[in-house]
Amino acid sequence: MAYSAKDEKPEISYHESIHKSSSDGETFGKPSGKHHTPKSPEERLAALQEALKVDPGPKPGGWAAIQLYLITLVVCCCSGDSGFDGTVMGGINSMHQYQQYFGMKEVGAKTSIVFGIFTVGSLCGMIPASYFPDKFGRRFSMFFGNAVLVIGAIITANARNKGMFLAGRWLTGVGSGCAGASAKSYLAEMAPAHQRGAYMGFLNSFYYVGQMTATGMMVATNKWQNELSWRLPLYIQAVPAGINVIFIYLCPESPRWLYSEGRTDEARQILANLHSRNRDVNSPLVGLEMEEIEEKIQVDGADKRWWDFRPLFRTRSDRYSAYMVILIGSFGQLSGNGLITYFLPVLLKQAGIVNQNKILTLNFVNSVTSYIGALSGSFIVDRFGRRRILLTGTASITVILAIVAGLLSSQGSAARANAGITFVYLFMVVFSFGWTSMQALYPAEVLGYQARAKGLAFLGVVSQIASLINTFGMPVALEKLTWKVYIIFTVWDAFEVLVIYFFVVETKGFTLEEIGEIFGQDNPRQYSNKLLKDARLNRKQAAAA
């Protein structure tokens, strides 16, 4: 990219201002112990905008961008894991071949245990997820989790009795929980600040790729009148995890983890390779990122002590961030989506659709439409912001669930039941638009580096505890309450809208380190809105000038 003489002047002065304090030896090698003069969040945002003018980052079709796309694809296999499992068990649970082999029913206590044991495994997976990423690196934790998942999938697919089946399900839960938490922290730390929403949204949207693979396959295998009809989908569950195991060590390590290990030159080089248009280690954009990393990350911080969870609750800022993690983790599972993801075949039968092949086909259609909604949300989240999308999506699904409750009432006709199922599909599209990308993106953004791995493991614990309500309670609730379950979720979603409006902080456009400083303000929500408003005003004034 060519610059005019007028363009070159601010590049030189800005570059010098970034590196002046580190020109005597801190640029490469181990941290020198010098500290830059701390900037306010306003100054950091202005500096980031200036740096992006000089170095706008990789070209969309350039090698750096392609490399980041491939890295993202490998990491997304961790999200495909959980999407595949969440749907494959819902589909298999409706197959008479599976039911006859194990003596199961579609709903009831035994079914709750089969679904719930995966959730219990995911909770257990949070133990290595809170330790391995900080001790051995983000890549090792993904490798370990997916290796365990592969073993669990093979055991489940070869199960000869319920005990063996449950053991395999528990192992797949352990692996999926560990790999998924590590994937979020890794990609959040690798993605450029101004595109982080799209990358993290794509990561969580890959959940539906796993869903589509599982549901599409079962449309075909359902027609086989043998054990392979339900065993083959369980074998295929090992494929995305296997891809991650094979390729994850061909991806670079997180630069923030490398810095925390004292490997500053490697961290700077990776940032230059993936964030700079010319792969320039002296780029002002790379210099600004390194400056913020040096200020915020301690080489011997609490992230090195696996038992130390104090960074989650130590200061007011840390506690606010932890509250946001709890909010996303619980609301993201209890908005009615778990009801539909796991038990759509049961809901279809309650609406009068009893043909097994048609049920599995409609399950596949739900995966496709949900994926479209999730991708749409991912690609606009960096433009419209996290807060606006969460509010719009949650308010919309509240209205939709109220409509579904009316249409699927016990007095409803067949036509009303079909209309109700249509709104069930619309619910998943809107939920995916508003929530799928946020579940990976927002917690990874609001957590500081020392708390990120442990905080995302904590997110997994919150999410899985919330999931226990779906996996253990939902089969019984559907059996006893039928359509009235929708009313419960409608009231809960209305409560979610109020909480999101008053407490969720906008984070779009800020670096991970800047977000930490925003959460340290007296009113982070108002302060963030003020920063973004001022930034928009400054851009308009600059354009007018």
Side-chain angles (χ1 to χ4, degrees):
M1 181 176 181
Y3 296 98
S4 65
K6 187 167 67 174
D7 291 323
E8 291 174 1
K9 185 175 180 180
E11 177 179 353
I12 295 172
S13 61
Y14 185 75
H15 180 86
E16 288 176 348
S17 70
I18 289 289
H19 293 287
K20 185 176 181 181
S21 62
S22 59
S23 60
D24 54 357
E26 189 177 304
T27 303
F28 286 97
K30 294 182 178 181
S32 66
K34 291 177 179 286
H35 295 283
H36 301 275
T37 303
K39 293 185 175 71
S40 67
E42 294 95 332
E43 292 171 330
R44 290 190 185 280
L45 184 60
L48 177 61
Q49 298 300 324
E50 289 299 317
L52 286 171
K53 291 178 184 178
V54 176
D55 186 350
K59 295 180 181 179
W63 169 241
I66 293 173
Q67 187 179 7
L68 195 52
Y69 299 155
L70 293 173
I71 291 168
T72 303
L73 191 60
V74 172
V75 176
C76 281
C77 290
C78 299
S79 185
D81 292 343
S82 55
F84 195 102
D85 177 86
T87 309
V88 78
M89 276 311 304
I92 287 174
N93 189 51
S94 69
M95 289 185 181
H96 64 83
Q97 300 95 316
Y98 161 81
Q99 293 172 9
Q100 290 173 0
Y101 188 89
F102 287 113
M104 301 288 291
K105 296 191 303 181
E106 280 194 81
V107 293
K110 290 182 179 180
T111 301
S112 296
I113 293 173
V114 170
F115 278 87
I117 196 67
F118 179 87
T119 304
V120 173
S122 296
L123 281 169
C124 296
M126 295 306 109
I127 298 173
S130 67
Y131 174 61
F132 286 168
D134 290 330
K135 179 66 175 178
F136 303 110
R138 280 36 173 158
R139 295 180 302 175
F140 175 82
S141 190
M142 284 185 278
F143 176 88
F144 171 82
N146 283 303
V148 172
L149 193 151
V150 169
I151 296 170
I154 293 172
I155 292 174
T156 307
N158 287 282
R160 298 300 171 188
N161 52 62
K162 290 180 184 177
M164 186 175 176
F165 192 83
L166 291 175
R169 291 275 297 156
W170 181 81
L171 282 174
T172 56
V174 171
S176 179
C178 180
S182 306
K184 293 181 180 71
S185 59
Y186 175 83
L187 195 57
E189 292 169 3
M190 297 293 287
H194 59 293
Q195 297 173 333
R196 189 170 54 245
Y199 280 101
M200 295 299 290
F202 187 71
L203 167 65
N204 231 36
S205 299
F206 219 74
Y207 178 95
Y208 293 111
V209 174
Q211 269 200 353
M212 288 187 290
T213 305
T215 54
M217 178 186 305
M218 286 185 292
V219 170
T221 63
N222 166 63
K223 299 174 183 177
W224 305 347
Q225 298 304 313
N226 53 45
E227 296 174 18
L228 202 59
S229 62
W230 57 269
R231 291 190 187 275
L232 182 61
L234 293 173
Y235 276 118
I236 300 301
Q237 186 177 7
V239 172
I243 292 173
N244 184 272
V245 167
I246 293 170
F247 291 105
I248 190 59
Y249 272 99
L250 298 179
C251 302
E253 184 54 87
S254 161
R256 287 168 172 82
W257 183 81
L258 289 171
Y259 179 86
S260 74
E261 293 290 305
R263 295 156 64 179
T264 312
D265 52 345
E266 294 178 60
R268 182 182 286 272
Q269 187 63 61
I270 290 172
L271 288 174
N273 290 344
L274 297 178
H275 293 186
S276 172
R277 174 150 298 190
N278 299 314
R279 305 166 74 92
D280 180 12
V281 294
N282 293 317
S283 161
L285 182 61
V286 174
L288 179 63
E289 288 187 89
M290 284 300 297
E291 176 186 322
E292 293 182 343
I293 289 172
E294 287 162 5
E295 286 182 13
K296 297 297 181 183
I297 297 178
Q298 298 177 28
V299 176
D300 189 25
D303 56 294
K304 302 303 173 197
R305 299 186 288 274
W306 66 270
W307 45 266
D308 192 353
F309 277 75
R310 286 178 299 172
L312 285 174
F313 308 103
R314 187 164 43 201
T315 65
R316 181 182 179 278
S317 171
D318 296 332
R319 290 190 291 273
Y320 200 123
S321 298
Y323 297 153
M324 292 297 99
V325 170
I326 294 171
L327 182 150
I328 295 294
S330 56
F331 289 6
Q333 299 298 322
L334 298 176
S335 299
N337 53 305
L339 166 70
I340 296 167
T341 299
Y342 281 91
F343 299 104
L344 181 60
V346 178
L347 301 179
L348 293 173
K349 285 187 177 180
Q350 289 182 348
I353 300 172
V354 296
N355 181 274
Q356 182 171 306
N357 191 59
K358 186 175 182 180
I359 288 173
L360 290 171
T361 302
L362 289 173
N363 207 17
F364 172 71
V365 172
N366 176 62
S367 300
V368 175
T369 54
S370 298
Y371 186 48
I372 293 171
L375 282 181
S376 301
S378 301
F379 289 132
I380 69 169
V381 68
D382 283 319
R383 177 177 176 82
F384 289 96
R386 288 63 163 147
R387 184 180 152 82
R388 184 184 299 178
I389 287 182
L390 278 175
L391 273 173
T392 303
T394 310
S396 299
I397 62 175
T398 304
V399 174
I400 292 171
L401 277 180
I403 295 172
V404 170
L407 290 172
L408 295 184
S409 63
S410 57
Q411 291 78 28
S413 63
R416 286 176 62 183
N418 289 332
I421 291 300
T422 301
F423 275 96
V424 166
Y425 278 79
L426 180 61
F427 169 91
M428 283 307 298
V429 172
V430 176
F431 173 86
S432 301
F433 172 84
W435 273 93
T436 297
S437 60
M438 292 299 105
Q439 288 174 286
L441 169 64
Y442 199 72
E445 284 187 323
V446 302
L447 291 163
Y449 175 80
Q450 291 189 49
R452 188 165 296 125
K454 295 183 177 72
L456 290 174
F458 179 60
L459 168 69
V461 171
V462 174
S463 297
Q464 296 306 328
I465 290 174
S467 292
L468 287 174
I469 298 175
N470 292 325
T471 54
F472 281 107
M474 206 57 64
V476 178
L478 287 171
E479 190 175 29
K480 303 294 184 183
L481 300 177
T482 63
W483 63 272
K484 298 181 183 68
V485 173
Y486 293 110
I487 296 178
I488 297 172
F489 281 111
T490 300
V491 175
W492 175 258
D493 286 352
F495 168 73
E496 288 183 2
V497 173
L498 294 175
V499 174
I500 291 168
Y501 179 80
F502 286 107
F503 295 103
V504 169
V505 180
E506 183 56 71
T507 57
K508 76 165 185 175
F510 300 109
T511 67
L512 296 175
E513 287 71 29
E514 290 166 352
I515 292 170
E517 296 190 0
I518 290 171
F519 273 79
Q521 305 300 314
D522 290 336
N523 190 322
R525 179 177 63 84
Q526 292 182 359
Y527 188 75
S528 171
N529 291 339
K530 177 182 180 299
L531 284 180
L532 292 170
K533 183 178 179 180
D534 292 345
R536 286 193 298 269
L537 182 62
N538 290 338
R539 284 196 297 270
K540 288 180 181 179
Q541 292 174 344

